[in-house]
Amino acid sequence: MDNALGDFLRSRRARLRPQDVGLVGYGPRRVPGLRREEVARLAGVSVDYYVRLEQGRRGPAASDSVLGAVARALALDEVERRHLFDLARPPAPRTPAQPAVRPGVRSVLDALGGAPAFVLGRRMQVLAWNAIADALLGFSAVPGGYNAARQIFLDPAARTLFTRWEEEVAADAVAFLRLDAGRHPDDPRLTALIAELSYRSGDFRAMWAAHRVKDKTHGRKHLWHPATGALDFAYESLTLPGDPDVLIVAYTAEPGSRTAQRIALLAELSAPAMAGAGAG
Protein backbone atom coordinates (compact mmCIF):
# COMPACT_ATOMS: atom_id res chain seq x y z
CA MET A 1 0.00 0.00 0.00
CA ASP A 2 2.92 2.26 -0.87
CA ASN A 3 4.06 4.60 1.89
CA ALA A 4 1.04 4.22 4.15
CA LEU A 5 3.03 5.36 7.20
CA GLY A 6 4.19 8.56 5.52
CA ASP A 7 0.76 9.32 4.10
CA PHE A 8 -0.79 8.88 7.54
CA LEU A 9 1.80 11.09 9.28
CA ARG A 10 1.40 13.83 6.68
CA SER A 11 -2.39 13.75 6.98
CA ARG A 12 -2.22 14.09 10.78
CA ARG A 13 0.41 16.84 10.53
CA ALA A 14 -1.72 18.79 8.04
CA ARG A 15 -4.70 19.02 10.40
CA LEU A 16 -2.77 20.80 13.18
CA ARG A 17 -1.90 24.48 13.54
CA PRO A 18 1.12 25.66 15.59
CA GLN A 19 -1.18 27.20 18.20
CA ASP A 20 -2.94 23.83 18.62
CA VAL A 21 0.24 22.36 20.11
CA GLY A 22 1.62 25.39 21.94
CA LEU A 23 3.90 26.70 19.21
CA VAL A 24 4.12 30.18 17.74
CA GLY A 25 3.83 30.18 13.96
CA TYR A 26 6.12 32.51 12.00
CA GLY A 27 5.81 33.45 8.36
CA PRO A 28 3.49 32.24 5.62
CA ARG A 29 3.01 28.52 5.09
CA ARG A 30 2.87 26.99 1.65
CA VAL A 31 0.81 24.06 2.93
CA PRO A 32 -1.53 23.77 5.91
CA GLY A 33 -0.48 22.24 9.17
CA LEU A 34 2.72 21.77 11.10
CA ARG A 35 6.11 21.67 9.43
CA ARG A 36 8.21 18.54 9.73
CA GLU A 37 10.78 20.31 11.88
CA GLU A 38 8.04 21.38 14.27
CA VAL A 39 6.83 17.81 14.69
CA ALA A 40 10.42 16.66 15.20
CA ARG A 41 10.98 19.32 17.87
CA LEU A 42 7.78 18.39 19.70
CA ALA A 43 8.67 14.70 19.55
CA GLY A 44 12.27 15.22 20.65
CA VAL A 45 13.80 13.57 17.57
CA SER A 46 16.06 14.92 14.86
CA VAL A 47 14.52 16.48 11.79
CA ASP A 48 16.40 13.99 9.61
CA TYR A 49 14.96 11.06 11.58
CA TYR A 50 11.40 12.36 11.29
CA VAL A 51 11.83 13.05 7.56
CA ARG A 52 13.07 9.49 7.04
CA LEU A 53 10.05 8.21 8.96
CA GLU A 54 7.65 10.12 6.70
CA GLN A 55 9.46 9.07 3.56
CA GLY A 56 9.28 5.40 4.48
CA ARG A 57 13.04 4.99 4.81
CA ARG A 58 12.64 2.83 7.86
CA GLY A 59 16.11 1.81 8.91
CA PRO A 60 16.06 0.33 12.44
CA ALA A 61 12.60 -0.15 13.88
CA ALA A 62 11.39 2.86 15.83
CA SER A 63 11.20 2.30 19.58
CA ASP A 64 8.01 2.48 21.62
CA SER A 65 9.20 5.71 23.19
CA VAL A 66 9.88 7.38 19.83
CA LEU A 67 6.55 6.32 18.34
CA GLY A 68 4.78 7.42 21.52
CA ALA A 69 6.49 10.81 21.31
CA VAL A 70 5.45 11.23 17.67
CA ALA A 71 1.88 10.27 18.59
CA ARG A 72 1.83 12.92 21.33
CA ALA A 73 3.34 15.53 19.03
CA LEU A 74 0.59 14.90 16.47
CA ALA A 75 -2.15 14.78 19.14
CA LEU A 76 -3.25 11.29 18.07
CA ASP A 77 -6.14 9.64 19.86
CA GLU A 78 -5.81 6.05 21.10
CA VAL A 79 -7.08 4.43 17.89
CA GLU A 80 -4.77 6.59 15.75
CA ARG A 81 -1.87 5.78 18.07
CA ARG A 82 -2.41 2.03 17.65
CA HIS A 83 -2.66 2.54 13.89
CA LEU A 84 0.68 4.40 13.90
CA PHE A 85 2.36 1.48 15.70
CA ASP A 86 0.81 -0.98 13.21
CA LEU A 87 2.10 1.01 10.23
CA ALA A 88 5.56 1.52 11.70
CA ARG A 89 5.97 -2.19 12.47
CA PRO A 90 4.33 -4.20 9.70
CA PRO A 91 4.03 -7.92 10.40
CA ALA A 92 5.63 -10.61 8.27
CA PRO A 93 3.74 -11.04 4.97
CA ARG A 94 0.90 -13.53 5.12
CA THR A 95 -2.60 -13.97 3.75
CA PRO A 96 -4.97 -14.19 6.71
CA ALA A 97 -7.74 -16.71 6.19
CA GLN A 98 -11.32 -15.86 6.98
CA PRO A 99 -12.07 -17.82 10.18
CA ALA A 100 -14.90 -20.31 10.39
CA VAL A 101 -17.77 -19.23 12.61
CA ARG A 102 -18.05 -21.56 15.57
CA PRO A 103 -21.43 -23.23 16.23
CA GLY A 104 -21.50 -21.55 19.62
CA VAL A 105 -21.26 -18.13 18.01
CA ARG A 106 -24.17 -18.96 15.71
CA SER A 107 -26.14 -19.98 18.81
CA VAL A 108 -25.39 -16.59 20.37
CA LEU A 109 -26.75 -14.85 17.27
CA ASP A 110 -29.94 -16.91 17.40
CA ALA A 111 -30.32 -16.32 21.13
CA LEU A 112 -30.46 -12.57 20.54
CA GLY A 113 -33.87 -13.19 18.98
CA GLY A 114 -35.44 -9.91 17.93
CA ALA A 115 -32.15 -7.97 17.94
CA PRO A 116 -30.51 -7.94 14.49
CA ALA A 117 -27.00 -9.34 14.92
CA PHE A 118 -24.23 -10.53 12.64
CA VAL A 119 -20.57 -11.56 12.62
CA LEU A 120 -18.15 -9.21 10.87
CA GLY A 121 -14.77 -10.56 9.83
CA ARG A 122 -11.68 -9.42 7.98
CA ARG A 123 -12.17 -6.95 5.11
CA MET A 124 -15.68 -6.21 6.47
CA GLN A 125 -16.96 -9.56 5.23
CA VAL A 126 -20.18 -10.63 6.94
CA LEU A 127 -19.67 -14.25 8.01
CA ALA A 128 -22.95 -15.12 9.77
CA TRP A 129 -26.19 -13.51 10.89
CA ASN A 130 -29.47 -14.19 12.62
CA ALA A 131 -32.81 -14.26 10.85
CA ILE A 132 -34.00 -10.78 11.77
CA ALA A 133 -30.67 -9.25 10.64
CA ASP A 134 -31.15 -10.94 7.29
CA ALA A 135 -34.70 -9.58 7.03
CA LEU A 136 -33.42 -6.09 7.84
CA LEU A 137 -30.17 -5.96 5.84
CA GLY A 138 -30.57 -8.64 3.16
CA PHE A 139 -27.35 -10.57 3.71
CA SER A 140 -28.51 -13.80 2.06
CA ALA A 141 -29.68 -11.98 -1.08
CA VAL A 142 -26.13 -11.07 -2.17
CA PRO A 143 -24.53 -13.74 -4.41
CA GLY A 144 -21.03 -14.75 -3.40
CA GLY A 145 -21.22 -13.37 0.12
CA TYR A 146 -22.00 -10.00 1.66
CA ASN A 147 -19.10 -7.61 2.01
CA ALA A 148 -20.27 -4.58 3.99
CA ALA A 149 -17.83 -2.12 2.43
CA ARG A 150 -18.67 -3.21 -1.10
CA GLN A 151 -22.41 -2.97 -0.44
CA ILE A 152 -22.13 0.45 1.23
CA PHE A 153 -20.27 2.03 -1.68
CA LEU A 154 -21.38 0.07 -4.74
CA ASP A 155 -25.03 -0.79 -4.07
CA PRO A 156 -27.23 2.30 -4.70
CA ALA A 157 -29.87 0.87 -2.35
CA ALA A 158 -27.51 1.41 0.60
CA ARG A 159 -28.08 5.17 0.46
CA THR A 160 -31.80 4.61 0.94
CA LEU A 161 -31.43 1.90 3.57
CA PHE A 162 -29.00 3.96 5.69
CA THR A 163 -30.61 7.39 5.95
CA ARG A 164 -27.43 8.97 7.36
CA TRP A 165 -25.25 7.19 4.84
CA GLU A 166 -22.24 9.49 4.78
CA GLU A 167 -21.75 10.37 8.44
CA GLU A 168 -22.89 7.15 10.14
CA VAL A 169 -21.97 4.46 7.64
CA ALA A 170 -19.64 5.32 4.77
CA ALA A 171 -17.02 7.37 6.62
CA ASP A 172 -16.87 4.87 9.48
CA ALA A 173 -16.53 1.93 7.07
CA VAL A 174 -13.51 3.56 5.40
CA ALA A 175 -11.94 4.41 8.75
CA PHE A 176 -12.41 0.80 9.90
CA LEU A 177 -10.87 -0.53 6.67
CA ARG A 178 -7.88 1.75 7.31
CA LEU A 179 -7.31 -0.03 10.63
CA ASP A 180 -7.53 -3.40 8.88
CA ALA A 181 -5.02 -2.25 6.28
CA GLY A 182 -2.64 -1.14 9.03
CA ARG A 183 -2.84 -4.50 10.78
CA HIS A 184 -2.56 -6.55 7.56
CA PRO A 185 -0.65 -4.45 4.99
CA ASP A 186 0.29 -7.42 2.80
CA ASP A 187 -3.15 -9.01 2.48
CA PRO A 188 -3.73 -9.26 -1.30
CA ARG A 189 -7.50 -9.66 -0.95
CA LEU A 190 -7.74 -6.48 1.13
CA THR A 191 -5.53 -4.65 -1.38
CA ALA A 192 -7.80 -5.84 -4.21
CA LEU A 193 -10.93 -4.71 -2.35
CA ILE A 194 -9.51 -1.23 -1.74
CA ALA A 195 -8.42 -0.98 -5.38
CA GLU A 196 -11.90 -2.01 -6.57
CA LEU A 197 -13.66 0.50 -4.33
CA SER A 198 -11.22 3.26 -5.25
CA TYR A 199 -11.81 2.62 -8.96
CA ARG A 200 -15.58 2.36 -8.79
CA SER A 201 -16.50 4.95 -6.13
CA GLY A 202 -15.45 8.59 -6.04
CA ASP A 203 -16.84 8.85 -2.51
CA PHE A 204 -14.62 6.01 -1.36
CA ARG A 205 -11.54 7.59 -3.01
CA ALA A 206 -12.13 10.91 -1.24
CA MET A 207 -12.72 9.31 2.16
CA TRP A 208 -9.75 6.95 1.80
CA ALA A 209 -7.45 9.88 1.05
CA ALA A 210 -8.38 11.50 4.40
CA HIS A 211 -6.52 8.72 6.31
CA ARG A 212 -9.11 8.72 9.09
CA VAL A 213 -9.04 5.68 11.38
CA LYS A 214 -11.78 4.50 13.73
CA ASP A 215 -12.47 1.24 15.50
CA LYS A 216 -15.94 -0.29 15.36
CA THR A 217 -17.11 -0.25 18.99
CA HIS A 218 -20.55 1.31 19.41
CA GLY A 219 -22.78 3.98 17.94
CA ARG A 220 -26.11 4.53 16.22
CA LYS A 221 -27.59 3.50 12.90
CA HIS A 222 -30.61 5.16 11.29
CA LEU A 223 -32.31 3.03 8.63
CA TRP A 224 -35.37 3.09 6.42
CA HIS A 225 -36.89 -0.27 5.53
CA PRO A 226 -39.72 -0.44 2.97
CA ALA A 227 -41.82 -2.72 5.21
CA THR A 228 -41.51 -0.66 8.40
CA GLY A 229 -40.30 2.85 7.63
CA ALA A 230 -37.75 4.63 9.82
CA LEU A 231 -35.69 2.68 12.38
CA ASP A 232 -33.27 4.07 14.97
CA PHE A 233 -30.86 1.57 16.54
CA ALA A 234 -27.97 1.67 18.95
CA TYR A 235 -25.27 -0.85 18.10
CA GLU A 236 -22.54 -2.57 20.10
CA SER A 237 -19.59 -4.56 18.76
CA LEU A 238 -17.95 -7.35 20.74
CA THR A 239 -14.58 -8.90 19.82
CA LEU A 240 -14.59 -12.68 20.02
CA PRO A 241 -12.04 -14.13 22.46
CA GLY A 242 -9.24 -15.70 20.47
CA ASP A 243 -10.38 -14.02 17.23
CA PRO A 244 -9.26 -10.35 17.39
CA ASP A 245 -10.31 -9.70 13.79
CA VAL A 246 -13.86 -10.98 14.26
CA LEU A 247 -16.73 -9.01 15.80
CA ILE A 248 -20.31 -9.72 16.79
CA VAL A 249 -22.34 -6.61 15.94
CA ALA A 250 -25.79 -6.29 17.50
CA TYR A 251 -28.45 -3.63 16.82
CA THR A 252 -30.73 -2.85 19.78
CA ALA A 253 -33.81 -0.69 20.27
CA GLU A 254 -35.26 0.86 23.42
CA PRO A 255 -38.02 -1.41 24.80
CA GLY A 256 -41.42 -0.04 23.85
CA SER A 257 -39.93 2.42 21.35
CA ARG A 258 -41.27 2.87 17.83
CA THR A 259 -38.22 1.05 16.48
CA ALA A 260 -38.83 -1.91 18.82
CA GLN A 261 -42.41 -2.11 17.62
CA ARG A 262 -41.41 -1.86 13.98
CA ILE A 263 -38.65 -4.47 14.18
CA ALA A 264 -41.17 -6.83 15.81
CA LEU A 265 -43.50 -6.13 12.88
CA LEU A 266 -40.70 -6.92 10.43
CA ALA A 267 -40.12 -10.22 12.23
CA GLU A 268 -43.81 -11.08 11.84
CA LEU A 269 -43.89 -10.10 8.17
CA SER A 270 -40.73 -12.10 7.46
CA ALA A 271 -41.62 -15.13 9.59
CA PRO A 272 -42.25 -17.60 6.71
CA ALA A 273 -38.98 -16.72 4.99
CA MET A 274 -37.08 -16.60 8.28
CA ALA A 275 -38.31 -20.06 9.25
CA GLY A 276 -36.76 -21.58 6.14
CA ALA A 277 -33.57 -19.54 6.08
CA GLY A 278 -30.15 -20.54 7.31
CA ALA A 279 -28.01 -18.26 9.42
CA GLY A 280 -25.27 -17.49 6.96
Side-chain angles (χ1 to χ4, degrees):
M1 296 184 183
D2 297 327
N3 186 14
L5 173 61
D7 291 341
F8 177 67
L9 290 172
R10 283 188 291 273
S11 72
R12 302 305 90 177
R13 180 164 59 85
R15 71 180 179 177
L16 294 173
R17 301 170 300 171
Q19 54 267 40
D20 294 332
V21 291
L23 298 177
V24 177
Y26 295 102
R29 292 175 182 252
R30 290 178 296 176
V31 294
L34 297 180
R35 297 185 173 110
R36 287 170 172 166
E37 55 266 29
E38 290 170 332
V39 177
R41 188 195 325 162
L42 288 167
V45 300
S46 71
V47 175
D48 178 67
Y49 182 91
Y50 182 77
V51 169
R52 285 190 287 111
L53 199 62
E54 270 202 10
Q55 291 179 343
R57 294 184 283 136
R58 298 184 184 279
S63 67
D64 286 357
S65 60
V66 167
L67 292 176
V70 171
R72 289 190 296 273
L74 292 171
L76 302 187
D77 63 25
E78 182 55 33
V79 175
E80 292 171 328
R81 184 179 184 278
R82 284 191 278 116
H83 187 57
L84 170 63
F85 275 68
D86 286 337
L87 293 177
R89 297 171 178 175
R94 66 188 184 94
T95 302
Q98 207 59 276
V101 178
R102 300 191 299 270
V105 174
R106 295 181 184 273
S107 296
V108 169
L109 296 180
D110 292 338
L112 290 171
F118 55 94
V119 176
L120 191 68
R122 290 286 330 285
R123 312 170 200 95
M124 297 191 71
Q125 193 72 24
V126 177
L127 305 178
W129 52 83
N130 62 12
I132 189 61
D134 195 24
L136 177 65
L137 298 168
F139 295 131
S140 63
V142 178
Y146 189 106
N147 180 275
R150 188 177 284 114
Q151 294 301 123
I152 288 165
F153 285 96
L154 303 184
D155 182 0
R159 297 178 188 246
T160 300
L161 176 63
F162 297 104
T163 57
R164 300 182 184 179
W165 179 86
E166 183 171 353
E167 63 270 33
E168 283 187 356
V169 179
D172 284 357
V174 174
F176 188 58
L177 273 183
R178 271 281 178 199
L179 281 184
D180 200 7
R183 295 177 186 132
H184 305 282
D186 296 302
D187 177 3
R189 282 180 283 178
L190 178 58
T191 300
L193 174 64
I194 292 167
E196 176 192 2
L197 295 174
S198 298
Y199 177 73
R200 298 178 62 185
S201 170
D203 288 314
F204 181 87
R205 284 196 301 276
M207 294 178 188
W208 187 255
H211 288 269
R212 180 171 169 262
V213 290
K214 183 180 179 182
D215 213 343
K216 191 173 186 67
T217 55
H218 64 279
R220 300 204 73 83
K221 287 286 188 290
H222 292 81
L223 296 88
W224 189 92
H225 192 280
T228 63
L231 299 164
D232 177 8
F233 292 104
Y235 78 84
E236 294 286 341
S237 298
L238 306 173
T239 303
L240 292 180
D243 290 318
D245 291 319
V246 179
L247 304 173
I248 292 179
V249 183
Y251 289 7
T252 60
E254 289 290 333
S257 66
R258 183 173 297 178
T259 294
Q261 295 167 3
R262 289 178 174 179
I263 200 68
L265 172 62
L266 181 61
E268 290 180 16
L269 294 173
S270 307
M274 289 165 59

